[in-house]
């Protein structure tokens, strides 16, 4: 069977390849520890599960969730309250908030809602690989903007050639950043609003790690910046703060024309999120803030363990202050693939090679902290031995 040409342009999804590699090694009896994927192992908080169970028993929730096309108004109100209380961003739940099946879905539908075939779409390199795939599927032209350690992994907007910026209709950004862990500053976000206004570029500020910050860093929403709502949307998700990656629940917020356009795409594509999951999401947002602090404590401890181990084997660097990833420079001038292969072969640890996120990821690998403590301790013991 011939499949669509558009799929030929899309590189294999990084984690599918890694999963196959891990499965093959495990089938051969190797005890592989994967530090590759960012997927919390701790359970979803009990009040969320209880609310899902209750709501699943109610036949009113068994029907299509499309009676309010942007998601249940009560969910959108809970999201708006969360944004006002935690990030000082004021949003109208009627027009400026939309329920999503995770922020990844929002990235994809944002492009379909905004980008015409042939339009340039800016994204960072290194960057989250799903942006490129979504841009290509929509017929857009992804253009990479390098982000480098010396600029705190923030793009230098002034370095984007004006002929490229003039052709761009959208830009993806994501801080706290996957994969580098970098966080943004209010000053950068002010510049971003001005840049977007100057070139009429719609910003998709993908912010699922907003709560995962360390060392005194404060959560920062794009929507807390004056004018942000005029130029873009922020995407967010319950996946990371509430250990709900499998539930598929997120939200798009901000510019009401973009929200309406994404909603139009969704009405014709997926009919929205199961009501019982939205009700469980309200329980998370209303009663489970403490889960975030608990998870941050766990990640901070694991972060210290990895940093200490790396330092002991002479891999020393200044870690970024966000996400549950560590963006680690390779030792001894090894390439990303060489170091990832060494860790896999000598220590049976899987890490993501930096080049999977773009050419500027060369010289780095990404460690994820979403593994149980005992497995991480074992991984660090093996790493020490492999690096002796
Ligand atoms: C930058 C970025 N955006 C979006 C997602 C997807 O999150 P969700 O589970 O909300 O779809 C991820 C997941 O790892 C991510 O790293």
């Amino acid at each position: 069977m011939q499949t669509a040409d558009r799929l030929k342009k899309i590189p294999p999804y990084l984690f599918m390849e890694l999963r196959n590699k891990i499965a093959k090694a495990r089938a051969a009896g190797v005890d592989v520890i994967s530090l590759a994927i960012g997927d919390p192992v701790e359970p979803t908080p009990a009040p969320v599960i209880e609310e899902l169970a209750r709501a699943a028993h109610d036949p009113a929730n068994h029907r299509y969730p499309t009676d309010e096309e942007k998601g249940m108004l009560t969910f959108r109100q809970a999201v708006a309250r969360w944004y006002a209380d935690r990030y000082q961003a004021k949003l109208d739940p009627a027009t400026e908030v939309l329920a999503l099946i995770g922020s990844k879905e929002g990235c994809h539908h944002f492009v379909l809602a905004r980008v015409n075939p042939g339009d340039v779409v800016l994204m960072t390199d290194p960057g989250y690989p799903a942006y490129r795939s979504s841009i290509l599927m929509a017929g857009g032209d992804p253009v990479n903007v390098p982000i480098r350690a010396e600029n705190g992994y923030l793009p230098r907007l002034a370095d984007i050639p004006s002929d490229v910026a003039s052709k761009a209709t959208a830009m993806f950004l994501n801080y706290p950043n996957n994969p580098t862990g970098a966080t943004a500053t209010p000053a950068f976000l002010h510049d971003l609003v001005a840049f977007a206004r100057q070139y009429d570029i719609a910003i998709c500020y993908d912010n699922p790690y907003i709560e995962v910050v360390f060392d005194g860093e404060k959560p920062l929403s794009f929507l807390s910046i004056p004018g942000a709502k005029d130029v873009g949307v922020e995407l967010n998700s319950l996946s990371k703060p509430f250990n709900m990656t499998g539930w598929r629940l997120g939200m798009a917020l901000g510019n009401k024309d973009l929200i309406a356009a994404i909603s139009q795409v969704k009405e014709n594509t997926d009919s929205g999120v199961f009501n019982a999951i939205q009700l469980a999401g309200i329980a998370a947002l209303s009663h489970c803030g403490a889960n975030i602090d608990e998870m941050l404590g766990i990640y901070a401890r694991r972060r210290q363990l990895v940093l200490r181990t790396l330092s002991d084997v002479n891999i020393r660097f200044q870690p970024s202050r966000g996400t549950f990833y560590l963006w680690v420079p390779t030792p001894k001038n090894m390439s990303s693939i060489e170091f990832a292969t060494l860790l896999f072969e000598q220590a049976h640890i899987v890490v993501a090679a930096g080049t999977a996120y773009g050419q500027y990821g060369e010289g780095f690998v990404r460690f994820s902290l979403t593994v149980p403590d005992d497995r991480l301790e074992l991984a660090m013991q093996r790493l020490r031995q492999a690096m002796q």
Side-chain angles (χ1 to χ4, degrees):
M1 176 68 75
Q2 276 295 323
T3 54
D5 291 344
R6 75 173 67 80
L7 292 183
K8 298 192 178 82
K9 295 189 201 155
I10 295 168
Y13 198 61
L14 162 72
F15 292 114
M16 289 301 163
E17 285 191 342
L18 280 173
R19 260 183 216 136
N20 292 342
K21 189 169 155 180
I22 296 167
K24 225 166 121 188
R26 285 190 179 143
V30 180
D31 175 27
V32 178
I33 303 175
S34 176
L35 309 182
I37 297 176
D39 190 355
V41 285
E42 284 70 24
T44 303
V48 184
I49 298 169
E50 281 151 20
E51 178 60 6
L52 173 70
R54 189 203 60 76
H57 280 292
D58 181 351
N61 296 324
H62 297 173
R63 312 193 65 199
Y64 284 119
T66 44
D67 54 323
E68 290 151 3
E69 75 268 8
K70 296 191 184 75
M72 298 175 80
L73 185 60
T74 47
F75 175 71
R76 288 181 279 137
Q77 286 166 333
V79 168
R81 270 197 305 276
W82 179 263
Y83 259 71
D85 293 350
R86 287 184 89 98
Y87 316 130
Q88 296 71 53
K90 215 169 150 323
L91 293 146
D92 176 357
T95 56
E96 295 175 336
V97 182
L98 166 74
L100 293 174
I101 309 170
S103 61
K104 192 177 194 179
E105 181 246 292
C107 297
H108 190 73
H109 287 155
F110 162 82
V111 192
L112 290 180
R114 165 68 181 178
V115 172
N116 286 314
D119 286 359
V120 164
V121 181
L122 304 171
M123 55 175 281
T124 62
D125 177 348
Y128 179 54
Y131 303 145
R132 169 174 294 275
S133 308
S134 290
I135 297 164
L136 289 169
M137 280 194 252
D141 178 12
V143 171
N144 288 334
V145 178
I147 53 173
R148 299 186 175 90
E150 59 266 32
N151 302 318
Y153 297 108
L154 292 170
R156 284 172 57 103
L157 299 171
D159 288 355
I160 300 173
S162 62
D163 60 321
V164 174
S166 306
K167 283 194 215 128
T169 53
M171 181 173 194
F172 278 102
L173 289 120
N174 150 241
Y175 294 93
N177 180 254
N178 176 12
T180 66
T183 49
T185 60
F188 170 76
L189 295 185
H190 276 102
D191 291 350
L192 181 64
V193 170
F195 172 78
R197 230 193 260 287
Q198 182 184 354
Y199 291 103
D200 189 21
I201 294 173
I203 301 297
C204 184
Y205 199 85
D206 181 27
N207 210 351
Y209 300 97
I210 185 168
E211 292 288 345
V212 191
V213 283
F214 304 96
D215 300 337
E217 185 83 25
K218 296 269 176 294
L220 174 62
S221 166
F222 178 56
L223 298 172
S224 66
I225 305 299
K229 268 200 276 191
D230 299 335
V231 297
V233 286
E234 176 156 303
L235 307 182
N236 204 332
S237 167
L238 279 72
S239 287
K240 321 285 173 176
F242 303 110
N243 310 337
M244 288 175 72
T245 50
W247 295 59
R248 315 309 304 132
L249 182 60
M251 51 274 201
L253 318 101
N255 185 273
K256 67 178 175 10
D257 298 331
L258 283 173
I259 294 290
I262 298 170
S263 172
Q264 190 183 351
V265 176
K266 286 175 63 62
E267 280 159 33
N268 290 285
T269 313
D270 58 42
S271 305
V273 180
F274 180 28
N275 278 356
I277 290 191
Q278 294 187 61
L279 291 165
I282 297 172
L285 293 169
S286 310
H287 308 301
C288 301
N291 189 68
I292 296 174
D293 299 329
E294 203 177 307
M295 290 310 301
L296 284 179
I298 293 173
Y299 296 137
R301 201 176 62 226
R302 291 182 190 157
R303 211 170 122 86
Q304 282 318 314
L305 169 65
V306 175
L307 290 172
R308 208 175 330 115
T309 309
L310 290 171
S311 169
D312 290 349
V313 299
N314 288 319
I315 301 177
R316 300 199 178 101
F317 62 103
Q318 188 58 45
S320 299
R321 300 210 274 183
T323 75
F324 43 51
Y325 305 113
L326 284 168
W327 187 238
V328 178
T330 60
K332 302 176 189 156
N333 284 327
M334 272 188 246
S335 72
S336 301
I337 295 282
E338 281 167 343
F339 188 43
T341 305
L342 179 143
L343 291 179
F344 186 63
E345 287 176 356
Q346 311 280 321
H348 304 144
I349 299 170
V350 183
V351 295
T355 40
Y357 302 90
Q359 61 170 312
Y360 289 90
E362 183 54 277
F364 293 87
V365 297
R366 193 194 74 173
F367 283 55
S368 170
L369 302 171
T370 57
V371 273
D373 288 332
D374 57 337
R375 297 293 284 167
L376 189 64
E377 276 157 24
L378 180 59
M380 292 303 105
Q381 279 169 23
R382 290 190 195 165
L383 187 143
R384 267 178 213 280
Q385 276 165 5
M387 300 300 294
Q388 262 170 14

